[in-house]
Amino acid sequence: MAKLTEFESKKIIKQAGIAVPRGELVSTPRQAEEVTMRIGLPVVLKIQSLYTGRFEKDLIKIVSSVEDLKRTLDYMFDVHCSEIKLQKLLVEEKYIYQNEYYLSVISDDISLSPLILFSENGGIDIEKNSENIVGRPLNILNGVTGEDISFLTNGASVNSDLGDVIKKLYDVYRKMDCCQLEINPLVFSEEKFVALDAKIIIDGDALYRHKELGVQLTEENLNREPTSLEISAAKIDENDHRGTVHIAELDQPLQKKGTRIAINCVGTGVGLSIMDELIEQGYMPANFGDTSGNPTASKLYRAIRLIFSQKDIKGFVFASCVSSQQLDNTARGVIKALKDIYPETGGKPGIPCVFMFRGAWDKDAMLLFKEHGISDSENVIMLGRDSNEYNVACEFDKLYKTRKSVPNNVKNVRV
Amino acid sequence: MLRMLEFNILSGGNVSIDLTKCKSCSTKACIRNCKSSKTRPVLVLKDGVPDLDFGFDELEKGACTECLACELDCQLYGNKAVIIELTVS
């Protein structure tokens, strides 16, 4: 999935005929002041970030005076520049209104259809007011009907133009291949409905149809910007659909908690189980990694190179589920990567590593590690199909504790 | 005689084989373990050295399964003639 920023989302819904506040994107305080003068005080300053809950995080500020503007801009650019890598700020006119509505279209897993959600109690606390949200699954062949609109807005003291907004929003949902499209709040002001905030999430599988957006598809870290490693990882699958690579770094606050262990697994479930088991043993996974769907060895090579490029990695764990994936190919990709990362030892890793191969061609995979001398390394433990995720974490723990006492052994990975 | 055999692969990167080293190779390990997405291997023996059984365009479209066996086996059992360069962003 690909999440668009508020500004990008508003641009799209504006083109569909839904009113949005006047506003411009800026990247310096001076530009922000110029835009404010053009629009006129009061204005709303909104950092364009994929974080949710921006209001609570102080990423949205309302400014009513020139003095306030300068002070707020200094704060936003100085503080947030370093903390969240502020790139763009949206300066927008401030609307006066009475009620906030919530309007959204989502792809509903239960009804297997688009689902329109509407509430008369929109705004920042929408999650707390979920009992007031009315939902209406749509027949995708019919689109939004008058009956749907009546159902959604039944008893709502709103202008009949709301039906028009609902229809336009649904059209955007279809045209842009959205998973989720949300306006919150939608307000009625100056005789029209205005979308004060908007969010669009596009189905990742349909992103190729929207190259005009210039969005890079990465793992589903919808609450933050993708890291450079995640962007690189997404490129591995870009032109080669033989198997898949999914790599996501853990969020920043977690990265400093515990000894960082890199991970790559065959199968998402195994990946998550290994992460849980490592945490139980007192370690902190540096990343989530999954290379499955029978990927080529070259995909494994690239994935391992990227995973080992993370900073301050003190160990590595590889585990496969009992799958039909051709694990000898998987092993070749891993072996080539290790040989390139550790050329001076012929691929024997400089950090403790546990490899668990289970499934098709697992014995061949183990044999390849032996043939290339990697499993002879004192930093390596090989486990087979009689092992489980718990065993992997325990074996890693024993290995790490043994090897870290060896001088200069557990050191940063050089890639 | 051709001195280098080179071809591009689907995922981005290329395979190069230094044929001058292959003549004296007794195992031809690269051919022994070569696989392909179709019914025949990519590498075949011709005039005592590896040759391609697919066109360059077919290889670039995925005929080579990129299993890396040719390079790794050549390192262990051959004359270290195969090098696979894989781009990493």
Side-chain angles (χ1 to χ4, degrees), chain A residues 307-353:
Chain A
I307 286 169
F308 270 73
S309 72
Q310 297 175 99
K311 283 183 184 166
D312 300 324
I313 299 300
K314 304 296 185 194
F316 174 69
V317 167
F318 172 90
S320 72
C321 64
V322 183
S323 75
S324 58
Q325 178 155 319
Q326 206 173 334
L327 291 174
D328 59 334
N329 281 343
T330 299
R332 287 190 185 94
V334 177
I335 290 168
K336 178 173 165 65
L338 290 175
K339 287 189 169 199
D340 283 3
I341 296 166
Y342 301 102
E344 68 279 6
T345 58
K348 289 180 180 171
I351 54 173
C353 297

Side-chain angles (χ1 to χ4, degrees), chain A residues 238-256:
Chain A
E238 207 168 44
N239 299 313
D240 187 349
H241 301 289
R242 298 172 292 184
T244 55
V245 172
H246 301 282
I247 299 172
E249 288 186 87
L250 253 65
D251 289 350
Q252 199 69 37
L254 292 172
Q255 290 190 9
K256 290 172 187 166

Side-chain angles (χ1 to χ4, degrees), chain A residues 231-232 235-236 239-242 296-299 301-302 305-306 326 328-329 331-333 335-336 339-340 368 371-372, chain B residues 9-13 33 35 37 62-69 71-73 75-77 83-89:
Chain A
I231 292 170
S232 296
K235 286 187 193 305
I236 297 174
N239 299 313
D240 187 349
H241 301 289
R242 298 172 292 184
T296 59
S298 60
K299 278 199 177 183
Y301 170 82
R302 291 181 171 100
R305 289 295 304 265
L306 287 176
Q326 206 173 334
D328 59 334
N329 281 343
R332 287 190 185 94
I335 290 168
K336 178 173 165 65
K339 287 189 169 199
D340 283 3
L368 281 163
E371 280 183 322
H372 287 273
Chain B
I9 50 180
L10 175 68
S11 69
N33 281 325
K35 300 154 190 171
S37 57
C64 171
T65 57
E66 303 182 24
C67 68
L68 313 180
E71 184 188 38
L72 291 176
D73 282 14
Q75 281 176 13
L76 282 186
Y77 307 110
I83 293 175
I84 301 179
E85 294 279 354
L86 298 171
T87 50
V88 182
S89 295

Side-chain angles (χ1 to χ4, degrees), chain A residues 153-273:
Chain A
T153 62
N154 189 27
S157 52
V158 292
N159 188 293
S160 59
D161 290 347
L162 180 60
D164 189 44
V165 175
I166 293 174
K167 283 183 176 174
K168 285 174 177 168
L169 196 71
Y170 179 71
D171 288 343
V172 174
Y173 167 84
R174 292 299 307 275
K175 185 181 166 196
M176 298 304 295
D177 299 302
C178 299
C179 295
Q180 186 181 352
L181 171 52
E182 178 182 289
I183 298 176
N184 185 34
L186 177 71
V187 301
F188 190 71
S189 178
E190 299 171 13
E191 300 301 311
K192 63 178 185 288
F193 281 99
V194 183
L196 295 194
D197 197 356
K199 176 171 80 180
I200 290 180
I201 300 176
I202 294 175
D203 183 344
D205 290 334
L207 204 56
Y208 74 98
R209 292 204 288 226
H210 302 288
K211 293 203 166 112
E212 77 281 0
L213 298 173
V215 175
Q216 286 178 309
L217 180 64
T218 57
E219 288 309 310
E220 295 166 13
N221 296 315
L222 297 180
N223 286 333
R224 61 166 170 79
E225 305 290 335
T227 64
S228 57
L229 181 133
E230 288 161 357
I231 292 170
S232 296
K235 286 187 193 305
I236 297 174
D237 283 343
E238 207 168 44
N239 299 313
D240 187 349
H241 301 289
R242 298 172 292 184
T244 55
V245 172
H246 301 282
I247 299 172
E249 288 186 87
L250 253 65
D251 289 350
Q252 199 69 37
L254 292 172
Q255 290 190 9
K256 290 172 187 166
K257 293 185 177 174
T259 305
R260 280 162 55 79
I261 309 302
I263 287 169
N264 188 53
C265 293
V266 177
T268 302
V270 174
L272 296 174
S273 301

